[in-house]
Amino acid sequence: MTHLTEARHHLTRELLPFWTARCRDMVNGGFITHFDKNGNDSGEDEKSLIAQTRCLYTFASAHRAGYGDGELAEFARHGADYLLSRMWDEEHGGFYWMTNRRGEVVNDQKIVYGQSFAIYSLSEYTLATGDPRGLEYASRTFDLLQKHAADTQYGGYFEMFWRDWTLKGPGPAGGDRKTLDVHMHLMEAYTTLYEASRLPLHRRKLQEVIGILLNKVLHPEYGTGIPQFWADWRVAPQIKFDVIWGWDRFTEDGVKREAEDNTSYGHNTEFAWLLLHALETLGMPLDDYREALRKPLEHAADFGIDEEYGGVFVEGSHAGTVYDREKEFWQQAEALIGFLDGYRLFGDEKYMHAYDRVHRFVFDKMINRPVGEWWPLMTRQGEPIWTHMSHSWKINYHTVRSMVQSIRRLEQLAARSIPAARS
Amino acid sequence: MTHLTEARHHLTRELLPFWTARCRDMVNGGFITHFDKNGNDSGEDEKSLIAQTRCLYTFASAHRAGYGDGELAEFARHGADYLLSRMWDEEHGGFYWMTNRRGEVVNDQKIVYGQSFAIYSLSEYTLATGDPRGLEYASRTFDLLQKHAADTQYGGYFEMFWRDWTLKGPGPAGGDRKTLDVHMHLMEAYTTLYEASRLPLHRRKLQEVIGILLNKVLHPEYGTGIPQFWADWRVAPQIKFDVIWGWDRFTEDGVKREAEDNTSYGHNTEFAWLLLHALETLGMPLDDYREALRKPLEHAADFGIDEEYGGVFVEGSHAGTVYDREKEFWQQAEALIGFLDGYRLFGDEKYMHAYDRVHRFVFDKMINRPVGEWWPLMTRQGEPIWTHMSHSWKINYHTVRSMVQSIRRLEQLAARSIPAARS
């Protein structure tokens, strides 16, 4: 099978069926988001903002991309209903961080990472279905970020707030830090918000967050992403926050081993394709951004690819040394899209080679067949380390989006290659 | 007469009576703000946001300071009614820049300089009268600035917008520039907003704009104010904007003679006392800010004082050369307060000497007796150049505030000096 037919088969026969078969909570609304290695409900009593919004994004975006014969729009509406009725804070605005399955709030903090996914998924939902509630609440959330989260001294956004949008304290509470993660996902969210609204304000704020990413977050020499900063954009040692949205590995004292020289291949490839998507949505000429697009992709292709076992490593130094050779699901997912964009943009075969190495690892080892979803974390060689198919921080956004976006790019490549073969 | 008795007499017998006798528009609401050298209505058919808000501030603050036996609160309410019913944009939010006397909008742009005076005066109005509408609309205006005006890339605020809050273009339209003027007045406005609301968000944004002023707007070596910047805070040559709020003198092509090395003694002394007031309102220790407070005051005391004719000059270089030796009303007004604060803070007699030089110029030459207001611009020697008592950009805010604030400081000095004399 070709890359394209493998991807189409996986998306339509494995991934989407995995989710439509089991994730809708018909009792309490919203989505069940915890499944074990066999795809059975593992019972955790939580509905996280991340998982609910990502699942909404998945169904809305797959519907908009033409999958599901309309059924996925219904799943999306089901998710939006829960999000707006159970997770929106009517008093202070914004979305709570966590409810239990019944929809009772168990963590009422306002975490910008989560708000960014609310903006992203609700904008995509309106684009996919026409339901105006999506864009309405995305816009309200955007407004709240401008009012409460934006740092009008140093630029960018603070990230960790209490329910009433008071900034949290320093250190693990996170109130004195800024991250690549949040600013990259705000770029992603504002891109789709602008696509849905076409408002000059949303356009301008998207351009501003791109400016922050290019001038503050990317390493000035290597063009790779730096994970954490102080409020004034000096590089901060990478620490673990009290409220987390992933399963990054830290030492027991919550500090990264290489806390000040560390960059993630998955973030870098994700950043590059999200930036390219933002620039294309804005209709901006790419010439000024070629180096910003090239450097993180090249760093990942040159240093992040496992030529022996396939796949992309976790993280390493900005100069190139690899620190962590395990294989995380989301980094594979984003690298697939990023390397296809690298090939599209620069025509360099090394990106197609890198794509192939990651594709083969995913399709030969990371997909948990016949269950249909991906193992979250594997050894370098491809043995599962963690085995859940989904929890609050691993849902379907990376995997489904990776297939939808890869298929689109592979189709474009296939279409381009036909006339080329004829000439 | 002592400084204090002169100031009390001028405020209560000349200044406030000048305004209460003639400024209330009983036909159309709001305030008449154009008076000639004899104090007669000069007839210009405009009500500017600046003049309406400054007049509101004057009455509210003078009432709060204990003047007028309650009458000034009625004047303030009269002004607030006009501002909220005629100048507020119900569709896009924010205050229009200009109406005619009948209250019809003649310039619907959203100019941040004007919005900052709306926040300042409406907050003072609630503090003075308890009418909650003031703080409500001040807070709404604050929210709009966070949403539309804040620059989330470089920090600070853009300043010039169309009615719908779309950023204006570059050059004289001003959309690519940032100024000392606006950021200083936002500090002033947020200080009073925070005093009225005591909200953590208003506190934080006040601290952020102080950070911008200290780290971007003040000259890194001399601590003096730099008038204009590009969006990224590189110093920009000082140009004249299409929408202005003062009568700065430019050459015919709209550029300052010393466009990139120019600082105003009035702005520097005003900045220092407004910063001190902000820090005291925030309850922050002054030790970290002593140099930021001292440098602009010392620059004005060392270079800006006219030892021959009295008063403070207009502007000069950061290093000390005086460029413009004329005498503007508002610079005298702000220097009076600033030098009294300099004396209070540093105990250095040179500030009391500088105060006396400005005080004498004002009381001997600048007050247009017996009319009661100040000449707007005089030669170095003290001959009037411009002769209007009020127009859209010269109203009572500088003069009345200068007297109210100077009297408060002179009273404190007098109270301190009594026990000192006894000891």
Side-chain angles (χ1 to χ4, degrees):
Chain A
M1 286 204 286
T2 64
H3 293 146
L4 179 56
T5 49
E6 276 186 302
R8 280 180 180 150
H9 177 270
H10 176 53
L11 176 62
T12 59
R13 304 296 179 86
E14 294 175 331
L15 265 184
L16 289 172
F18 176 95
W19 292 103
T20 52
R22 48 174 63 76
C23 80
R24 189 142 58 159
D25 184 341
M26 300 307 288
V27 178
N28 299 298
F31 301 115
I32 305 287
T33 58
H34 292 78
F35 301 104
D36 68 14
K37 65 180 175 181
N38 300 311
N40 295 320
D41 182 353
S42 51
E44 282 91 334
D45 188 19
E46 58 185 39
K47 284 176 174 160
S48 73
L49 179 57
I50 298 300
Q52 296 299 312
T53 54
R54 286 180 166 185
C55 205
L56 168 60
Y57 174 84
T58 291
F59 292 124
S61 63
H63 173 73
R64 184 152 79 111
Y67 300 98
D69 289 326
E71 178 197 35
L72 302 180
E74 279 311 300
F75 276 79
R77 178 179 301 271
H78 177 85
D81 288 345
Y82 184 86
L83 200 58
L84 301 183
S85 65
R86 300 307 182 94
M87 302 199 84
W88 177 261
D89 180 350
E90 291 288 349
E91 184 177 347
H92 296 285
F95 291 94
Y96 299 117
W97 181 244
M98 186 85 76
T99 66
N100 61 20
R101 288 198 179 189
R102 293 184 304 286
E104 295 157 346
V105 178
V106 295
N107 181 333
D108 62 10
Q109 295 177 36
K110 304 293 163 62
I111 308 299
V112 174
Y113 190 92
Q115 310 300 324
S116 83
F117 274 96
I119 294 171
Y120 185 47
S121 63
L122 287 165
S123 300
E124 183 73 22
Y125 171 66
T126 290
L127 285 165
T129 66
D131 183 342
R133 293 180 304 161
L135 181 55
E136 178 195 339
Y137 278 82
S139 298
R140 289 172 70 174
T141 306
F142 169 89
D143 290 357
L144 286 160
L145 295 187
Q146 308 316 308
K147 176 173 174 176
H148 296 286
D151 177 355
T152 59
Q153 179 172 359
Y154 295 111
Y157 297 83
F158 293 107
E159 305 184 357
M160 305 285 199
F161 295 85
W162 300 112
R163 181 188 167 190
D164 67 358
W165 289 97
T166 308
L167 187 60
K168 292 179 68 177
D176 60 346
R177 295 277 203 304
K178 294 172 179 168
T179 67
L180 158 65
D181 223 7
V182 160
H183 289 78
M184 183 181 78
H185 286 297
L186 286 173
M187 171 173 75
E188 171 189 58
Y190 290 3
T191 300
T192 302
L193 177 64
Y194 174 62
E195 191 184 353
S197 78
R198 292 291 165 185
L199 283 180
L201 177 65
H202 295 156
R203 180 184 181 87
R204 200 188 96 209
K205 297 288 178 172
L206 171 56
Q207 291 171 318
E208 289 173 13
V209 80
I210 290 172
I212 285 283
L213 286 161
L214 296 184
N215 296 306
K216 303 292 187 184
V217 175
L218 296 190
H219 192 288
E221 180 180 353
Y222 299 107
T224 40
I226 299 168
Q228 286 184 21
F229 301 85
W230 302 106
D232 63 2
W233 296 106
R234 285 174 297 125
V235 175
Q238 206 180 346
I239 61 165
K240 187 176 179 178
F241 296 123
D242 295 338
V243 173
I244 56 158
W245 45 77
W247 288 53
D248 266 11
R249 271 74 47 75
F250 289 89
T251 59
E252 283 195 6
D253 56 358
V255 176
K256 277 272 180 187
R257 200 160 39 105
E258 304 287 344
E260 295 188 62
D261 177 22
N262 201 45
T263 191
S264 148
Y265 309 108
H267 267 156
N268 289 331
T269 49
E270 184 177 16
F271 166 78
W273 85 257
L274 288 173
L275 173 61
L276 178 59
H277 176 54
L279 295 171
E280 291 180 334
T281 302
L282 288 164
M284 289 170 73
L286 301 182
D287 283 353
D288 296 346
Y289 301 90
R290 290 185 77 83
E291 287 305 282
L293 292 161
R294 187 185 59 76
K295 283 181 172 180
L297 289 172
E298 192 155 70
H299 183 273
D302 290 350
F303 304 116
I305 295 300
D306 187 343
E307 292 295 346
E308 192 170 350
Y309 297 100
V312 67
F313 297 129
V314 172
E315 58 200 16
S317 76
H318 295 283
T321 316
V322 179
Y323 296 144
D324 184 340
R325 292 174 192 272
E326 292 176 350
K327 307 289 165 62
E328 287 183 340
F329 79 104
W330 69 270
Q331 306 220 31
Q332 316 305 315
E334 300 305 325
L336 288 174
I337 313 171
F339 288 139
L340 286 176
D341 270 355
Y343 183 68
R344 170 162 76 98
L345 217 63
F346 302 106
D348 189 329
E349 288 296 333
K350 78 174 167 188
Y351 295 116
M352 189 46 81
H353 171 75
Y355 171 82
D356 176 73
R357 298 309 299 142
V358 180
H359 180 99
R360 285 268 53 88
F361 185 86
V362 167
F363 282 81
D364 295 345
K365 297 173 181 166
M366 193 154 252
I367 296 169
N368 173 17
R369 294 199 165 97
V371 174
E373 251 289 347
W374 300 15
W375 299 109
L377 180 69
M378 310 191 85
T379 63
R380 179 182 178 190
Q381 292 76 15
E383 291 299 316
I385 299 171
W386 298 334
T387 60
H388 54 273
M389 290 293 96
S390 179
H391 58 47
S392 281
W393 328 123
K394 178 188 186 289
I395 178 90
N396 39 31
Y397 145 80
H398 286 292
T399 53
V400 171
R401 185 173 73 169
S402 180
M403 290 302 105
V404 169
Q405 297 295 327
S406 293
I407 289 166
R408 180 172 295 157
R409 285 158 178 76
L410 290 166
E411 286 173 343
Q412 288 167 347
L413 286 175
R416 278 206 314 211
S417 70
I418 295 165
R422 278 181 190 153
S423 70
Chain B
M1 287 202 285
T2 64
H3 293 148
L4 180 55
T5 49
E6 277 186 302
R8 280 180 181 151
H9 178 269
H10 176 52
L11 176 62
T12 59
R13 306 293 179 88
E14 295 174 329
L15 265 184
L16 289 173
F18 177 93
W19 291 103
T20 52
R22 46 173 65 77
C23 81
R24 191 144 54 160
D25 183 341
M26 300 307 289
V27 178
N28 299 298
F31 301 114
I32 305 287
T33 57
H34 292 78
F35 301 104
D36 67 15
K37 64 181 178 182
N38 300 311
N40 296 320
D41 182 353
S42 50
E44 282 91 333
D45 188 19
E46 57 184 40
K47 284 178 174 157
S48 73
L49 179 57
I50 296 302
Q52 296 300 310
T53 54
R54 286 180 167 185
C55 205
L56 168 60
Y57 174 84
T58 291
F59 291 124
S61 63
H63 172 73
R64 185 152 79 111
Y67 299 97
D69 289 326
E71 176 197 36
L72 302 180
E74 280 312 301
F75 276 79
R77 180 180 300 271
H78 177 85
D81 288 345
Y82 183 86
L83 200 59
L84 301 183
S85 66
R86 299 307 181 92
M87 302 200 82
W88 177 260
D89 180 350
E90 292 288 349
E91 185 177 348
H92 297 284
F95 291 94
Y96 299 116
W97 181 245
M98 186 84 77
T99 67
N100 61 22
R101 287 199 181 189
R102 295 184 304 286
E104 294 157 347
V105 178
V106 295
N107 182 334
D108 61 10
Q109 294 178 35
K110 305 294 164 61
I111 308 299
V112 173
Y113 190 91
Q115 310 301 322
S116 83
F117 275 95
I119 294 171
Y120 185 48
S121 63
L122 287 165
S123 300
E124 183 74 21
Y125 171 66
T126 290
L127 285 165
T129 66
D131 183 342
R133 293 180 304 160
L135 181 56
E136 179 195 339
Y137 278 82
S139 299
R140 288 171 72 173
T141 307
F142 169 89
D143 291 357
L144 286 160
L145 294 187
Q146 307 316 308
K147 176 173 173 176
H148 296 286
D151 177 355
T152 58
Q153 179 172 359
Y154 295 111
Y157 297 82
F158 292 107
E159 304 183 358
M160 305 286 199
F161 296 85
W162 300 112
R163 181 187 168 191
D164 68 356
W165 290 96
T166 309
L167 187 61
K168 292 179 69 176
D176 59 347
R177 296 280 204 301
K178 293 172 178 168
T179 66
L180 158 66
D181 223 8
V182 161
H183 290 79
M184 184 182 77
H185 286 297
L186 286 173
M187 173 175 73
E188 171 189 57
Y190 291 3
T191 300
T192 303
L193 176 65
Y194 174 62
E195 191 184 353
S197 78
R198 294 289 164 184
L199 283 180
L201 177 64
H202 296 157
R203 180 183 180 87
R204 201 189 96 208
K205 297 287 178 172
L206 170 56
Q207 291 170 318
E208 289 172 12
V209 80
I210 290 172
I212 285 284
L213 286 160
L214 297 184
N215 296 303
K216 303 292 186 184
V217 174
L218 296 191
H219 192 289
E221 182 181 350
Y222 298 107
T224 40
I226 299 168
Q228 287 185 20
F229 301 85
W230 302 108
D232 63 2
W233 295 107
R234 283 174 299 125
V235 176
Q238 206 179 344
I239 61 165
K240 187 176 179 179
F241 296 123
D242 295 337
V243 174
I244 57 158
W245 44 78
W247 288 53
D248 266 10
R249 272 75 45 78
F250 289 88
T251 59
E252 284 195 5
D253 56 357
V255 175
K256 277 271 179 188
R257 201 158 40 104
E258 303 287 345
E260 295 186 62
D261 178 22
N262 200 45
T263 192
S264 148
Y265 308 109
H267 268 155
N268 288 332
T269 48
E270 185 177 16
F271 166 78
W273 85 256
L274 288 174
L275 173 62
L276 179 59
H277 177 53
L279 295 171
E280 291 180 332
T281 303
L282 288 164
M284 288 169 75
L286 302 182
D287 283 352
D288 296 346
Y289 300 90
R290 290 186 78 82
E291 285 306 283
L293 292 161
R294 186 184 59 75
K295 283 182 172 181
L297 289 173
E298 191 154 72
H299 182 274
D302 290 349
F303 304 116
I305 294 301
D306 186 343
E307 292 295 346
E308 193 169 351
Y309 297 99
V312 68
F313 297 129
V314 172
E315 56 200 16
S317 77
H318 295 283
T321 314
V322 179
Y323 296 144
D324 185 340
R325 292 175 193 270
E326 293 177 348
K327 308 287 164 63
E328 287 183 340
F329 79 104
W330 69 269
Q331 305 219 33
Q332 315 306 316
E334 300 306 325
L336 289 175
I337 313 172
F339 287 138
L340 286 176
D341 271 356
Y343 183 67
R344 170 162 75 98
L345 216 62
F346 302 108
D348 189 330
E349 287 296 335
K350 78 174 166 189
Y351 294 116
M352 189 47 81
H353 171 75
Y355 171 82
D356 176 71
R357 299 310 299 143
V358 180
H359 180 98
R360 286 266 53 87
F361 186 87
V362 167
F363 282 82
D364 297 344
K365 297 173 182 167
M366 195 156 249
I367 296 170
N368 173 17
R369 293 199 165 98
V371 174
E373 250 288 346
W374 300 15
W375 300 108
L377 179 69
M378 310 191 86
T379 63
R380 181 182 175 189
Q381 291 76 14
E383 291 299 316
I385 299 172
W386 298 333
T387 60
H388 54 272
M389 289 293 97
S390 180
H391 58 46
S392 281
W393 328 124
K394 179 188 186 290
I395 178 88
N396 40 29
Y397 145 80
H398 286 293
T399 52
V400 172
R401 186 173 73 171
S402 179
M403 289 303 105
V404 169
Q405 296 296 326
S406 293
I407 289 166
R408 180 171 295 157
R409 284 159 179 75
L410 290 166
E411 286 174 343
Q412 287 168 349
L413 286 175
R416 276 207 315 207
S417 70
I418 295 166
R422 279 182 188 154
S423 69

